[in-house]
Amino acid sequence: MRVLGVDPGLTRCGIGVVEGVAGRPLTMLGVGVIRTPAESDLGPRLVAVEQGIEAWLDEYRPERVAVERVFSQNNVRTVMGTAQASAVAVLCASRRGIPVALHTPSEVKAAVTGSGRADKAQVGAMVTRLLRLAAPPKPADAADALALAICHIWRAPATDRLQQAQAAARAARAPRLPGGGPSVRKVTP
């Protein structure tokens, strides 16, 4: 499986591609950061993030995209920029029909280091070790993007099985009409 990891940010959007399967050695195919100037207007910055992500999608053709799930912080301005960059990543992948998964920072840290409370240095060290790199990717946003891709590769098989089981359970509970189709109930205001 080839996964593009996106650590969303408006000033620095970490991006990395990892290939492999759970239980086998993984390979980093590319890592970088999409940067936009903080003093620029929002629109051009979002366009630059979109163009950067599109270029990575064109070059690496991932099968899945893993994006860090935005969580609440004290700085609303930072959260907004992160959420906007996250939405751009989801949009770019969805436009191409590439499945997108959102992972929380603690899920990623736990998957890569064994602790959901690991710091940036620990994540960088484990990414370096797991991908057999000479040094941790810099800046930390790049290492975080690779960690997202690794997390998704490792979690995807179990997540896919869970989603299939949930879909089967919903299908089994859905009321059926005599013709075999699902029942539809019209609701009027």
Side-chain angles (χ1 to χ4, degrees):
M1 175 186 315
R2 183 176 291 193
V3 178
L4 174 75
V6 180
D7 181 35
L10 203 47
T11 303
R12 285 185 323 269
C13 181
I15 196 154
V17 182
V18 176
E19 189 169 63
V21 295
R24 301 276 177 130
L26 303 173
T27 304
M28 180 190 76
L29 302 180
V31 66
V33 175
I34 300 165
R35 297 177 188 270
T36 68
E39 64 277 0
S40 293
D41 290 336
L42 176 63
R45 293 178 78 188
L46 291 173
V47 169
V49 170
E50 183 219 9
Q51 290 171 341
I53 292 171
E54 289 289 351
W56 280 76
L57 291 171
D58 286 341
E59 183 173 351
Y60 292 100
R61 306 234 179 262
E63 299 165 60
R64 306 274 177 99
V65 173
V67 180
E68 184 176 276
R69 183 181 300 272
V70 178
F71 65 99
S72 179
Q73 298 173 343
N74 295 338
N75 186 341
V76 174
R77 188 172 179 195
T78 301
V79 171
M80 289 301 295
T82 302
Q84 291 162 334
S86 176
V88 169
V90 171
L91 174 69
C92 290
S94 297
R95 185 186 294 140
R96 294 171 182 241
I98 302 170
V100 177
L102 301 173
H103 299 285
T104 66
S106 59
E107 286 173 343
V108 175
K109 291 174 184 179
V112 173
T113 70
S115 170
R117 295 181 170 206
D119 63 22
K120 294 261 187 203
Q122 291 170 309
V123 171
M126 284 306 296
V127 164
T128 302
R129 185 172 172 200
L130 293 168
L131 296 175
R132 300 168 314 280
L133 305 175
K138 299 278 185 201
D141 308 275
D144 289 348
L146 292 171
L148 276 152
I150 293 167
C151 172
H152 188 72
I153 289 169
W154 287 352
R155 293 176 58 110
T159 303
D160 289 348
R161 284 193 301 275
L162 178 62
Q163 289 173 344
Q164 290 168 356
Q166 289 170 335
R170 280 191 302 273
R173 287 191 310 264
R176 299 282 173 186
L177 295 175
S183 70
V184 178
R185 189 178 94 198
K186 182 177 180 181
V187 178
T188 55

